[in-house]
Amino acid sequence: MAERWDVIVTGLGAMGSAAARELARRGARVLGLDRYAPPHAHGSTHGHTRIIREAYFEHPTYVPLVQRAGDLWEALAEEVGERLIVRTGGLTIGPRDGALVSGALHSATRHGLPHELLPSEDVAQRYPALAPDPGSVGLYEPRAGVLFPEACVRSLLSCAARDGAELRRGEAMLAWRVEGGVVRVATAMGEHVAERLILTLGPWLPEMLEGTVIPLTVERQMQHWFGARDHAERFSPETLPVALWETPDHVFYTIPDFGDGIKVAVHHQGEATDPQRVRRTVSEEEDARARDLVARYLPDGAGELRARAVCLYTNTPDGHFLIDRHPLHRQVVIASPCSGHGFKFATAIGEIVAMLSLDQDTGADLSLFKLRW
Ligand SMILES: Cc1cc2nc3c(=O)[nH]c(=O)nc-3n(C[C@H](O)[C@H](O)[C@H](O)COP(=O)(O)OP(=O)(O)OC[C@H]3O[C@@H](n4cnc5c(N)ncnc54)[C@H](O)[C@@H]3O)c2cc1C
């Protein structure tokens, strides 16, 4: 007889590791499965750093959620005794009436977040590493910063295991079905049976939706790291905030040098792909484009190219998250497509999906994240 679990979590990346941890903490009998051994560099959760910010340009609904997530990251860091989060402060830079600055300002005022709006000259004077476009502005928020995704996932998984979750690395779900009121998950090792299933498969989700089609797209993204050409001290996390930029050609972000180099990455504008056929190498032309961006906006930062990595976004049609029950099977919760901005929320999303799958009231406003396409 197959062992029967309360919940099976498939995919133990950012969202799944947080869900498994939260379920185990609540005393549920949890089985976690992953096709690889997270943290790994095949999906969406690698590259040393992720930005956390509260003045959320995408929509004010995210603000309470990111605040809850930030508290949970800090509590986790204390629990495991590791550096998981650093609040460097953050800037949203662009035209005053552009989507980023106006959206961030809207969230900041709506939720009473501490912030300052600086003209571009003040940004450049305060942070001499940065060279914003003349006429642009920078919204500064002190509580933004970075998370270290690999250490975060490792910590979540170790807490989950400590609290009794059974975690199986290298065991991929091949298929699932709901039958006789339970969920049956097939892997190469056999069949697992549970009351509930959580699908946190990141970019592999579209191939595992069994019986329904949700219009998700997987997008190839790059991350580049450069050494400083001059004034290395201007790029340290003690002096430089994380920054999100809206410029005529791109939305991109920059992260100070935590020892791996100054990080730059364009947000979206990547090619459509999937985890099987994604081009994992980066061309010289792509390196040159990243360097041009740094040379224009952080001129002293365009030193030697230290590293680059390809990563994957899983996008919904409107760029918001999808956190909901499967349309045909209410025992199944879907919670991975985060359109390239989900990592910071993982602890809060883990808590929400754990509660959804245990039929508890989450108390969170999930209206923006419902399946609606
Ligand atoms: C370049 C880049 C930069 C980003 N920057 C930021 C940022 O600054 N701030 C921010 O908040 N967010 C950011 N994001 C988004 C964020 O990183 C993602 O939303 C988040 O990491 C996604 O986590 P996930 O758990 O959905 O996916 P993943 O972490 O990829 O996890 C999916 C897991 O499912 C497993 N899996 C797949 N198929 C199966 C199967 N059949 N059976 C079992 N297991 C399976 C995989 O092995 C994997 O471990 C960025 C993303 C990228 C790519």
Side-chain angles (χ1 to χ4, degrees), residues 15 34-35 40 44-45 50-51 173 253 311 336 344:
M15 306 308 157
D34 201 286
R35 64 163 66 230
H40 60 70
S44 304
T45 309
R50 290 289 185 268
I51 293 177
M173 172 168 69
Y253 53 91
C311 195
S336 238
K344 60 183 84 61

Side-chain angles (χ1 to χ4, degrees), residues 61-83:
T61 292
Y62 290 90
V63 176
L65 200 59
V66 75
Q67 289 177 325
R68 173 69 183 153
D71 290 348
L72 291 171
W73 287 121
E74 276 165 1
L76 179 68
E78 201 171 311
E79 186 178 344
V80 299
E82 266 205 66
R83 185 178 76 152

Side-chain angles (χ1 to χ4, degrees), residues 20-359:
R21 185 263 148 99
E22 195 54 39
L23 284 160
R25 204 175 64 76
R26 287 164 189 265
R29 289 165 34 78
V30 190
L31 172 66
L33 301 174
D34 201 286
R35 64 163 66 230
Y36 297 112
H40 60 70
H42 305 287
S44 304
T45 309
H46 56 280
H48 314 307
T49 45
R50 290 289 185 268
I51 293 177
I52 179 164
R53 55 194 159 85
E54 293 185 351
Y56 223 67
F57 78 83
E58 289 87 342
H59 200 284
T61 292
Y62 290 90
V63 176
L65 200 59
V66 75
Q67 289 177 325
R68 173 69 183 153
D71 290 348
L72 291 171
W73 287 121
E74 276 165 1
L76 179 68
E78 201 171 311
E79 186 178 344
V80 299
E82 266 205 66
R83 185 178 76 152
L84 302 180
I85 177 167
V86 174
R87 307 254 187 202
T88 57
L91 280 163
T92 301
I93 301 172
R96 169 67 185 79
D97 57 357
L100 265 64
V101 170
S102 68
L105 194 57
H106 180 52
S107 278
T109 13
R110 176 89 162 262
H111 289 278
L113 304 176
H115 68 279
E116 285 174 82
L117 198 59
L118 307 166
S120 58
E121 312 83 73
D122 290 11
V123 172
Q125 194 181 29
R126 205 189 275 192
Y127 308 107
L130 308 180
D133 285 327
S136 63
V137 297
L139 182 141
Y140 177 76
E141 52 170 319
R143 286 180 51 76
V146 302
L147 293 154
F148 303 105
E150 291 86 353
C152 288
V153 169
R154 209 177 298 117
S155 301
L156 288 166
L157 291 176
S158 72
C159 289
R162 181 203 60 199
D163 291 346
E166 164 120 3
L167 305 177
R168 301 201 186 159
R169 281 119 172 142
E171 186 173 344
M173 172 168 69
L174 302 175
W176 62 269
R177 65 187 198 285
V178 175
E179 196 182 78
V182 294
V183 184
R184 296 178 184 276
V185 170
T187 76
M189 311 298 288
E191 188 176 77
H192 303 291
V193 181
E195 301 292 322
R196 302 297 159 103
L197 175 65
I198 294 178
L199 298 174
T200 39
L201 298 162
W204 288 266
L205 179 66
E207 65 193 49
M208 278 289 162
L209 283 171
E210 310 286 322
T212 187
V213 177
I214 300 173
L216 302 172
T217 50
V218 176
E219 184 182 10
R220 176 179 176 272
Q221 295 287 302
M222 282 166 296
Q223 315 173 78
H224 281 83
W225 290 262
F226 292 91
R229 192 167 54 185
D230 209 352
H231 295 297
E233 75 287 353
R234 293 179 177 173
F235 296 92
S236 82
E238 290 75 37
T239 19
L240 189 64
V242 298
L244 208 59
W245 303 71
E246 180 176 8
T247 62
D249 298 324
H250 307 288
V251 169
F252 67 99
Y253 53 91
T254 51
I255 299 183
D257 185 357
F258 279 87
D260 306 295
I262 302 148
K263 180 167 164 182
V264 60
V266 171
H267 186 46
H268 293 301
Q269 297 182 305
E271 61 202 38
T273 187
D274 64 50
Q276 276 69 45
R277 66 188 167 97
V278 58
R279 192 162 55 85
R280 296 215 179 249
T281 51
V282 179
S283 69
E284 285 179 13
E285 197 191 331
E286 289 169 324
D287 291 343
R289 283 208 294 269
R291 174 182 293 284
D292 287 350
L293 209 51
V294 178
R296 165 67 191 85
Y297 292 103
L298 297 85
D300 289 333
E304 91 276 15
L305 173 62
R306 294 220 190 132
R308 60 264 236 276
V310 167
C311 195
L312 297 167
Y313 282 179
T314 309
N315 298 323
T316 65
D318 62 9
H320 293 303
F321 299 168
L322 170 56
I323 307 172
D324 205 352
R325 296 183 188 279
H326 188 283
L328 305 177
H329 306 288
R330 69 178 318 280
Q331 306 89 324
V332 182
V333 173
I334 300 171
S336 238
C338 287
S339 308
H341 58 111
F343 187 83
K344 60 183 84 61
F345 297 91
T347 42
I349 292 178
E351 190 175 55
I352 286 168
V353 296
M355 293 173 89
L356 277 180
S357 57
L358 297 175
D359 288 330

